[in-house]
Amino acid sequence: MPPIKPKKHKLSETSDCPVKAKFKTETTALPDATTTSPYFSNDTTSLCKARLSSSFYNQKCLDLAKALLGKVIVRKLDDNSTVSGMIVETEAYCGRDDKASHSSGSKKTERNAAMFMEAGTAYVYIIYGMYHCFNISSQGEGAAVLIRAVQPLTGVDKMKVQRGKRRGDKGADLKTEQLGNGPSKLCQALHIDKDTVNQQDLTTCPFIWLESGEDVEDFDIIHSTRIGIDSAGEDWAKKPWRFYIRGNKSVSKRDKKAEKATEKL
């Protein structure tokens, strides 16, 4: 599914703060919002308004999965400090007809109820009885996007402490790009768990939300197959519904074949 020609994903109309993008040399003026965050600037007295609104999330699952790349997850902790990470990898699970989705066949359960809620609702589930995965509902019945990896931005030391809780080295040997390079790793790093975050409305929740970040061009979005869904059947396992930012070190797994294919365009 390579793009025919490069074009830019437009940032959500939710901010009036200029944000510097790594993929471009100039800054982009973002439109109007509700929540402030200081980390886009070295001047912590100058706060950017950038919470993403419901209109951003209310789009088709595949579109949202790509649009989320470059956006920033902000998690406010109990001590009022924040940790944050830029989304660099996602997977789309398109609901009723997607055999790899928890909502396949429109089966609504206590576990997957968030997938059927308003677009922009957090869906957090547990795997292996101990690890969490963070998803965001989109337009469409039972559709949601799995956040697979983030690039740490702020609160790196706090992330290391969280990630080190199950490690002998207490996280000391972890590189920054390893803190969120997987769906459960990012949940550990960003203090995301089912009891706290599941079914939260990301447009209004006071302790977790998304903000506008970098403007990622289509050329820099790699389309690949989703990971760990072989049991859904070959047809679904082969769908190129995983998306990641080319060249980002925090991506969980590169697809070199897909990267080469887009280089030829």
Side-chain angles (χ1 to χ4, degrees):
M1 297 171 59
I4 296 175
K5 60 181 181 179
K7 64 179 182 179
K8 299 175 184 177
H9 279 290
K10 295 181 179 179
L11 293 172
S12 172
E13 296 183 358
T14 56
S15 173
D16 55 9
C17 175
V19 176
K20 186 175 182 180
K22 291 183 179 178
F23 297 107
K24 303 193 296 180
T25 56
E26 76 272 16
T27 58
T28 303
L30 301 173
D32 192 68
T34 58
T35 303
T36 59
S37 180
Y39 55 72
F40 286 119
S41 172
N42 291 327
D43 178 9
T44 57
T45 63
S46 176
L47 300 179
C48 296
K49 296 181 179 181
R51 179 191 284 259
L52 297 177
S53 70
S54 57
S55 61
F56 170 80
Y57 299 106
N58 190 26
Q59 52 183 309
K60 293 179 180 178
C61 192
L62 290 171
D63 293 334
L64 181 62
K66 289 176 280 188
L68 282 167
L69 296 175
K71 303 303 183 285
V72 176
I73 303 172
V74 182
R75 176 74 164 92
K76 186 176 181 180
L77 306 180
D78 291 341
D79 63 1
N80 285 326
S81 66
T82 60
V83 291
S84 63
M86 183 180 75
I87 298 171
V88 299
E89 183 180 359
T90 61
E91 286 180 351
Y93 289 89
C94 297
R96 179 184 60 195
D97 298 324
D98 185 349
K99 298 297 183 184
S101 175
H102 289 173
S103 58
S104 177
S106 295
K107 184 179 180 181
K108 184 177 179 180
T109 65
E110 183 179 352
R111 182 198 193 200
N112 70 7
M115 300 182 79
F116 295 86
M117 294 180 177
E118 291 293 323
T121 300
Y123 169 41
V124 183
Y125 61 88
I126 299 175
I127 58 174
Y128 305 120
M130 60 190 298
Y131 297 114
H132 297 81
C133 293
F134 175 55
N135 305 255
I136 301 172
S137 65
S138 69
Q139 187 183 100
E141 185 181 33
V145 177
L146 170 67
I147 309 302
R148 275 204 61 89
V150 300
Q151 174 187 322
L153 295 180
T154 62
V156 172
D157 289 342
K158 290 179 182 290
M159 291 187 192
K160 282 190 175 183
V161 171
Q162 282 296 107
R163 287 276 286 108
K165 287 182 175 180
R166 293 190 176 101
R167 293 172 56 95
D169 64 2
K170 303 299 183 183
D173 294 334
L174 285 170
K175 296 178 181 178
T176 300
E177 61 266 25
Q178 295 176 319
L179 295 176
N181 64 338
S184 294
K185 293 177 183 179
L186 73 88
C187 284
Q188 290 176 10
L190 295 175
H191 297 245
I192 295 173
D193 62 81
K194 182 177 179 179
D195 288 343
T196 307
V197 177
N198 189 44
Q199 298 189 13
Q200 292 292 335
D201 182 346
L202 296 174
T203 68
T204 60
C205 182
F207 55 81
I208 186 168
W209 62 88
L210 268 65
E211 299 186 355
S212 298
E214 295 188 357
D215 188 7
V216 183
E217 297 193 16
D218 276 355
F219 176 77
D220 287 310
I221 298 177
I222 303 300
H223 298 226
S224 183
T225 54
R226 296 176 291 183
I227 295 172
I229 61 163
D230 290 346
S231 61
E234 185 177 2
D235 287 346
W236 294 98
K238 285 186 175 181
K239 290 190 181 297
W241 289 356
R242 178 169 71 100
F243 309 98
Y244 66 87
I245 299 177
R246 180 194 305 275
N248 191 284
K249 292 182 179 180
S250 293
V251 168
S252 68
K253 184 178 180 180
R254 291 178 57 192
D255 184 335
K256 294 182 180 180
K257 184 176 180 181
E259 291 177 16
K260 275 192 172 183
T262 59
E263 286 174 359
K264 296 176 182 178
L265 295 177

